Amino acid sequence: MEPTTKEYTNGEVTIVWQAHKCIHSANCVKNNPAVFQPKEKPWIKTDGSTTDKIIETIHKCPSGALTYFLNDEKSS
């Protein structure tokens, strides 16, 4: 089975979620429930918060399942 990776963007930042790395610590949900909603589909709602808050939340992911890139940086 291939590892699952999904991307979600708000135009400024793209959240990269690698499902196979997730340990379900729920740090993302606790720190930014407006964006990370595990009972919803899609479970990441990028328009629920600011880019800065999203990045701050991703830095708290202990497994590395959540990463990000700034969209203007990827194209350069």
Side-chain angles (χ1 to χ4, degrees), residues 32-48:
N32 204 338
V35 172
F36 300 96
Q37 302 174 9
K39 294 183 181 184
E40 301 293 323
K41 288 195 178 197
W43 79 280
I44 296 177
K45 313 259 194 264
T46 57
D47 60 349

Side-chain angles (χ1 to χ4, degrees), residues 12-71:
E12 291 181 335
V13 66
T14 297
I15 301 167
V16 181
W17 179 56
Q18 297 176 74
H20 62 283
K21 290 185 177 182
C22 186
I23 60 171
H24 306 286
S25 69
N27 282 356
C28 56
V29 178
K30 292 174 194 166
N31 286 284
N32 204 338
V35 172
F36 300 96
Q37 302 174 9
K39 294 183 181 184
E40 301 293 323
K41 288 195 178 197
W43 79 280
I44 296 177
K45 313 259 194 264
T46 57
D47 60 349
S49 183
T50 66
T51 295
D52 289 340
K53 178 71 174 167
I54 290 170
I55 291 169
E56 178 184 317
T57 302
I58 289 170
H59 283 290
K60 294 177 181 176
C61 178
S63 67
L66 290 170
T67 57
Y68 72 93
F69 59 85
L70 297 173
N71 294 339

